[in-house]
Amino acid sequence: MYYIGEGRFGRTAVVVVLLILWSVILRFFSFFPAVISHDESTYLVIARGLLEGKTYFVDLIDTKPIGIFVLYAAMLWVGKTIFMVRFFTAVWIGLTAFGIYRLMWRVGKNDRAAWAAALIYPLITSIFTFYGVVPNTELYFVLFTVWALVLIWGENASWRYALAGLLLGLGFLLKYVVFFDGLAFGALTLWVGWRQGQWQKAAWQRVLPMVAGAALPFAAIAYGYIQAGLGEVFYYYTFTVMGKYPVDKIWWKSGLYVLDFFGRFFPITLMALWAARRLQPTARQLFNNFLLCWMLCGLLAVLYTGKLFGHYFIQLMPALSMLAAGFFYPECPRPGWVERLGTQFYRNLLVAIMVLMTVLQYATYYVKKDEVREVAAWLSARLEAGDRLYTGDYHQILYLLLDQQSPTPYVHRSLIWDEHHRYALGISIGEETIRILSARPKYILLQPHAPLNELKGRILQEYQLVHFFPFGVEVYLRKQSG
């Protein structure tokens, strides 16, 4: 591998293509299952609704910002299928890796370190199901944060900071925790300005344009809702609902949660620790210190809610990848046996990783029976034109697979079936029961562990069990007198 040179489009394209191929190969067999996570299914179903002209927060409701659904609508409009949406996600990860490559080269002018960082990021996002294989918001917004940093690193022009802020603002519309990335970037800008004896200039000519740029996307969305007469709805789901979610922090569990993350990627963690401690003082040391600060801000975002979800850590992965790649800088003393490893060793290692990842993902995602598609096939053979379906506490992706509409705007099953979601969103289980059953769905799906509430009670009263799948899915048919 060799550096592509600034402004040399043909060679730059080679790097982009190689990194996209690397990402696609690492994730290929995860493109096939109908469901990897409920969140992704929700993105797809709501995205289809947006393409059909429905309004988010009115016809379709979830707890996340609108940006992720708009992005999925764009991918679904182009790709049409779940397979293609996941392919586009792999391409997105490859483009993020290219941003990491550009940034590492700009900082260190070292080819090996730049390639190492760019290859590590797609790898660590493609190993564990809930730490990156599942397409989730973090995989998408880190592209914006990485390229925002590419724009401003070592630069002073105000327009660069305004554009970087715009990228951060777009990321913020995908998930609000991008605010913590903005804190890290703002702190970096002020710190560099202070070292130059120009912190006031840095504040007014760099940080302020960045803040203004970051505010624009959110302000535009808010203005659009206000113009449509939905300002109160937007405020409720953006601010009121978020404030009603309980913050349940158990610090020892959070500590184990963090240790588990770094332990999962122990070789990468070890390289990052080595580089952080051993890298000789150079201009690159500022970058390493910033990466540590960025990871700390990311950890604050991860731990803020007290929820232990692995995909939250994707926010840290670009910084971790670049910090680990510092292991390959010439100024970083390495063990003698590492120095003796030649280029051929690393090429063979990459091939071995690709083969291993392909085999593991083939066994994990492709060989296993796709239970959701089996349920979809059973229902498809029995649903006639005009028949409705309610997926109950089962996979909502069936709405997309069977071209059905959800009888409730709360697409994600947990919003109705989990009490803490109902409390935060102000959902009346009685009113929602009436809404769902008034649509007279022919079939309703339940799992045996579905909590007994007013909705389940009415279903058991008005529907009869007609089929049971051995993997724990009950199919209920509306009684003729119902």
Side-chain angles (χ1 to χ4, degrees):
M1 301 295 184
Y2 55 90
Y3 174 61
I4 314 294
E6 297 284 351
R8 301 173 70 177
F9 177 79
R11 293 184 178 181
T12 299
V14 172
V15 169
V16 174
V17 170
L18 287 176
L19 290 174
I20 289 175
L21 281 176
W22 172 248
S23 179
V24 169
I25 291 170
L26 291 178
R27 304 174 67 87
F28 180 72
F29 284 108
S30 71
F31 297 171
F32 292 91
V35 174
I36 302 180
S37 83
H38 303 299
D39 284 345
E40 183 202 27
S41 299
T42 304
Y43 306 153
L44 288 162
V45 174
I46 292 181
R48 184 194 62 172
L50 296 182
L51 291 174
E52 293 171 347
K54 294 181 179 178
T55 302
Y56 186 56
F57 289 148
V58 178
D59 306 306
L60 300 162
I61 299 171
D62 198 72
T63 59
K64 292 180 173 61
I66 192 174
I68 186 64
F69 304 106
V70 172
L71 176 60
Y72 261 73
M75 292 192 292
L76 196 58
W77 181 72
V78 176
K80 310 299 182 187
T81 64
I82 297 172
F83 179 97
M84 287 304 299
V85 168
R86 293 192 186 142
F87 170 77
F88 293 149
T89 300
V91 172
W92 191 275
I93 293 169
L95 294 175
T96 305
F98 178 58
I100 291 172
Y101 175 90
R102 289 288 303 270
L103 184 59
M104 285 293 291
W105 176 262
R106 178 175 296 178
V107 170
K109 298 295 190 293
N110 182 271
D111 188 49
R112 179 182 283 191
W115 273 108
L119 293 171
I120 287 172
Y121 174 73
L123 173 62
I124 62 178
T125 57
S126 304
I127 298 175
F128 299 104
T129 298
F130 296 107
Y131 286 77
V133 177
V134 171
N136 224 310
T137 48
E138 290 81 4
L139 285 176
Y140 302 104
F141 76 64
V142 293
L143 179 141
F144 294 114
T145 58
V146 165
W147 279 98
L149 191 57
V150 172
L151 276 170
I152 65 174
W153 187 265
E155 301 288 348
N156 296 321
S158 297
W159 70 266
R160 284 182 169 271
Y161 286 83
L163 186 55
L166 183 62
L167 292 178
L168 291 174
L170 292 173
F172 186 78
L173 289 183
L174 296 175
K175 195 166 186 178
Y176 296 139
V177 294
V178 171
F179 171 80
F180 290 90
D181 297 297
L183 284 181
F185 292 7
L188 166 70
T189 304
L190 290 175
W191 170 251
V192 172
W194 180 79
R195 291 183 63 186
Q196 296 172 344
Q198 299 178 331
W199 74 267
Q200 290 180 321
K201 182 178 180 180
W204 290 104
Q205 297 185 15
R206 298 168 202 163
V207 174
L208 186 60
M210 186 161 57
V211 171
L216 280 177
F218 183 82
I221 294 296
Y223 178 76
Y225 273 91
I226 292 170
Q227 286 295 102
L230 299 171
E232 292 184 4
V233 172
F234 179 79
Y235 182 89
Y236 178 77
Y237 287 108
T238 303
F239 298 104
T240 306
V241 167
M242 293 298 101
K244 291 170 67 176
Y245 270 98
V247 178
D248 185 20
K249 296 187 180 72
I250 302 176
W251 291 108
W252 68 269
K253 287 187 177 181
S254 297
L256 290 177
Y257 175 50
V258 173
L259 290 176
D260 174 75
F261 165 69
F262 288 109
R264 285 173 182 268
F265 304 101
F266 180 71
I268 306 301
T269 301
L270 188 61
M271 290 168 59
L273 289 172
W274 185 282
R277 290 178 59 87
R278 299 296 185 94
L279 190 63
Q280 300 299 320
T282 63
R284 301 168 192 173
Q285 188 63 47
L286 171 64
F287 186 63
N288 270 20
N289 290 340
F290 164 72
L291 293 177
L292 291 170
C293 175
W294 191 12
M295 289 182 66
L296 178 61
C297 289
L299 277 175
L300 291 176
V302 168
L303 298 176
Y304 173 73
T305 63
K307 297 178 181 178
L308 308 183
F309 295 140
H311 62 84
Y312 286 3
F313 282 103
I314 296 170
Q315 189 168 3
L316 280 67
M317 289 182 182
L320 179 63
S321 301
M322 289 185 279
L323 192 61
F327 181 82
F328 294 101
Y329 281 140
E331 297 86 358
C332 185
R334 292 176 293 274
W337 63 269
V338 173
E339 293 293 342
R340 290 190 291 272
L341 297 176
T343 302
Q344 190 59 44
F345 169 82
Y346 292 106
R347 289 175 178 169
N348 293 339
L349 179 62
L350 291 178
V351 172
I353 289 173
M354 283 194 295
V355 172
L356 178 62
M357 290 291 294
T358 300
V359 171
L360 290 176
Q361 289 211 353
Y362 179 78
T364 303
Y365 302 109
Y366 189 79
V367 172
K368 291 183 178 180
K369 180 172 64 174
D370 197 328
E371 296 172 352
V372 178
R373 293 192 191 276
E374 182 178 335
V375 175
W378 189 95
L379 290 167
S380 179
R382 291 160 177 82
L383 286 169
E384 300 176 355
D387 286 342
R388 297 293 300 275
L389 168 72
Y390 174 49
T391 60
D393 72 328
Y394 192 56
H395 295 288
Q396 58 265 21
I397 196 64
L398 288 170
Y399 294 128
L400 184 71
L401 297 177
L402 296 169
D403 195 22
Q404 285 276 325
Q405 300 295 325
S406 171
T408 170
Y410 304 103
V411 174
H412 196 301
R413 64 185 187 180
S414 68
L415 300 187
I416 291 178
W417 292 91
D418 290 357
E419 186 176 356
H420 76 283
H421 281 306
R422 293 201 303 270
Y423 166 76
L425 288 158
I427 299 172
S428 166
I429 188 66
E431 292 178 2
E432 216 50 43
T433 297
I434 293 172
R435 189 208 305 256
I436 291 168
L437 297 184
S438 294
R440 297 181 60 80
K442 180 178 181 180
Y443 290 106
I444 293 179
L445 305 178
L446 291 176
Q447 297 181 92
H449 56 69
L452 183 59
N453 52 33
E454 183 176 345
L455 175 57
K456 184 175 180 179
R458 286 282 304 277
I459 292 171
L460 295 179
Q461 178 184 346
E462 300 179 19
Y463 286 72
Q464 59 185 349
L465 179 65
V466 293
H467 189 75
F468 178 77
F469 289 93
F471 39 83
V473 182
E474 300 169 341
V475 183
Y476 289 83
L477 174 67
R478 188 178 68 248
K479 296 178 182 178
Q480 293 304 313
S481 60

